[in-house]
Amino acid sequence: MSGEERPPRERMVYSAAQLVRSRGVAATGVRDVVAYANAPRGSFQHYFPGGKDQLVGEALAWSADFAARRVASYGRQAGEPSPSGLFAHMARQWREELTARRYERGCPIMATASELAGGDSPVNEPLRTAAARWERAVVEELVRMGVPAERAGGLATVMISALEGAIMLARVCRDVGRLDTVVSELAPVLDSYAG
Amino acid sequence: MSGEERPPRERMVYSAAQLVRSRGVAATGVRDVVAYANAPRGSFQHYFPGGKDQLVGEALAWSADFAARRVASYGRQAGEPSPSGLFAHMARQWREELTARRYERGCPIMATASELAGGDSPVNEPLRTAAARWERAVVEELVRMGVPAERAGGLATVMISALEGAIMLARVCRDVGRLDTVVSELAPVLDSYAG
DNA sequence: TACCCTTTATGACAGGCGTCATGGAAGGCG
DNA sequence: CGCCTTCCATGACGCCTGTCATAAAGGGTA
């Protein structure tokens, strides 16, 4: 998009994120990432002395940052913000992504978790951090719109859980309608935080 | 447990399911499966001429069957069945599984979806069939307890989505509390199918 | 006994993986 | 000029992957 393209290191992190969330961690080779990023091969071991684990970890951090920004963007463009509105905002972005890219890419956190969360990989901590960052962004956005703090945590967990599951079902069934279903079904609970 | 152990073929399918849902598809080698199942190595290519894809496909079918049976078991042991009761039933089983096995194993459908649902793998169809089988089992259980048919589909989608996402978060954060949170937050919506 | 079909055994193949070692360009700076 | 740090290039290493080829047991049946 922009005239000058980003430096190789950044391109590799971004590329790793995209490849991981579309085929998973194990199926994403470092050579693939380098080629996808149009980066010099020798640069990989220079910028990522920690190897593949470091690359995946940074890809997760990048993704979490991206997700957090998306969440925070809701407050600035919503007239009358509400929990269900925020949830619909998040789901809509995924709906567009899935249809535009034909269900090619899913959530990098889910992909990494499925493969690594069960063991004791070094990527485990970046993974937990990424999930926490995303969750915290949702909580902060909820609190900002008036949801009591002790209620926001639970709502955020439900929103992220349902969204992740719906993304998965949408990809498996090749049907973005799952996202709409979850949004409309969940709207009542999300907005009844007063009761 | 039982005196006579199951035939090698069945053991391999079962083992494949367990390994896939703990480390993912790509990280699960056929040699691993054979060793884990205590099966003769030469038997793999005899029973699964379709190779790894066939094995993973059958592992998914087995898992879906297992999940469907678990769902159906609720109706037989619940005094006053309700949607939220069914959901709590499903979540409780996962809670026990995750704590007993220390978050080692997740959902095989999620694991396979994360790696393969984006492309055009032969495993894609078994994957979709497995998800549909599980979803259908939930729908049937809901209808059996009096939920209108046109409402059951949406509820089942929400339940499965939220459960899958909560499983993921629980594994990432090593905290089964996420499951309890989702159960208690979702209870109101699930039981308000009359309105 | 001989035969045949099912099941198991074993070794090899080509290819990909992550990582490492080594060496060369590029450019600021004394 | 020389030096040194940053960045890139290239080839190789050992390991593991899924698959195949080939052959040998096992166990009924005629």
Side-chain angles (χ1 to χ4, degrees):
Chain A
M1 292 296 178
S2 67
E4 58 184 27
E5 58 181 4
R6 290 201 249 269
R9 208 205 119 100
E10 199 174 333
R11 293 206 309 270
M12 283 193 266
V13 173
Y14 171 81
S15 300
Q18 307 313 319
L19 291 181
V20 162
R21 78 200 190 95
S22 59
R23 347 171 176 152
V25 177
T28 299
V30 294
R31 290 170 172 88
D32 298 339
V33 174
V34 168
Y36 188 91
N38 268 101
R41 213 197 101 188
S43 293
F44 169 74
Q45 77 174 283
H46 178 251
Y47 288 115
F48 305 94
K52 188 181 182 179
D53 288 337
Q54 181 186 355
L55 178 64
V56 173
E58 296 200 21
L60 283 172
W62 185 92
S63 302
D65 252 51
F66 182 82
R69 272 196 304 271
R70 296 274 259 195
V71 169
S73 78
Y74 172 72
R76 290 192 294 275
Q77 69 182 43
E80 298 180 11
S82 67
S84 70
L86 172 58
F87 188 55
H89 178 72
M90 295 162 65
R92 183 172 46 246
Q93 290 172 342
W94 273 102
R95 186 191 162 91
E96 289 167 3
E97 157 81 28
L98 289 174
T99 53
R101 297 225 127 88
R102 306 210 160 161
Y103 306 96
E104 180 193 344
R105 304 179 182 177
C107 172
I109 296 181
M110 178 163 63
T112 312
S114 298
E115 301 180 49
L116 271 31
D120 57 345
S121 162
V123 191
N124 225 308
E125 192 224 324
L127 178 57
R128 179 164 31 240
T129 303
R133 171 134 180 63
W134 188 20
E135 216 164 11
R136 192 165 52 85
V138 174
V139 167
E140 285 175 355
E141 197 63 26
L142 288 174
V143 169
R144 190 170 300 132
M145 65 180 69
V147 177
E150 71 275 9
R151 191 95 173 74
L155 285 190
T157 297
V158 170
M159 289 167 66
I160 291 181
S161 294
L163 180 59
E164 287 281 3
I167 292 168
M168 190 206 76
L169 285 181
R171 292 223 297 161
V172 169
C173 305
R174 306 262 160 164
D175 168 35
V176 285
R178 309 299 170 121
L179 284 167
D180 306 326
T181 300
V182 170
V183 166
S184 63
E185 293 282 350
L186 241 56
V189 239
L190 296 179
D191 288 340
S192 69
Y193 53 88
Chain B
M1 293 297 176
S2 66
E4 60 184 26
E5 58 182 3
R6 289 200 250 269
R9 207 204 120 101
E10 199 173 332
R11 293 205 310 269
M12 283 192 268
V13 172
Y14 171 81
S15 301
Q18 307 313 319
L19 291 181
V20 162
R21 77 199 190 96
S22 59
R23 346 173 180 154
V25 177
T28 298
V30 294
R31 290 170 172 87
D32 298 338
V33 174
V34 168
Y36 188 92
N38 268 99
R41 211 198 104 187
S43 293
F44 169 74
Q45 77 175 284
H46 178 252
Y47 288 116
F48 304 94
K52 188 181 183 180
D53 287 338
Q54 182 186 353
L55 177 64
V56 172
E58 295 200 22
L60 283 172
W62 185 93
S63 303
D65 252 50
F66 182 81
R69 273 196 304 270
R70 296 274 259 196
V71 168
S73 79
Y74 172 72
R76 290 191 295 272
Q77 69 184 41
E80 297 180 10
S82 66
S84 70
L86 171 59
F87 188 54
H89 178 72
M90 295 162 64
R92 183 171 46 247
Q93 291 172 342
W94 273 103
R95 187 191 161 91
E96 291 166 2
E97 157 82 28
L98 288 174
T99 54
R101 295 227 130 87
R102 306 208 162 164
Y103 306 96
E104 181 193 344
R105 304 177 182 178
C107 172
I109 295 181
M110 179 163 61
T112 311
S114 298
E115 301 180 50
L116 271 30
D120 56 347
S121 161
V123 190
N124 226 309
E125 192 224 324
L127 178 58
R128 178 164 30 241
T129 304
R133 171 137 179 63
W134 188 19
E135 215 164 12
R136 193 166 50 85
V138 174
V139 167
E140 286 176 355
E141 197 63 25
L142 288 174
V143 169
R144 192 169 299 133
M145 64 180 69
V147 177
E150 71 275 9
R151 190 94 173 75
L155 285 190
T157 297
V158 171
M159 289 167 65
I160 290 181
S161 293
L163 180 59
E164 289 280 2
I167 292 168
M168 190 207 76
L169 284 181
R171 292 221 298 160
V172 169
C173 305
R174 305 262 160 166
D175 168 35
V176 284
R178 308 298 170 121
L179 285 167
D180 306 326
T181 299
V182 170
V183 166
S184 63
E185 293 282 350
L186 241 57
V189 238
L190 296 180
D191 290 338
S192 70
Y193 53 89

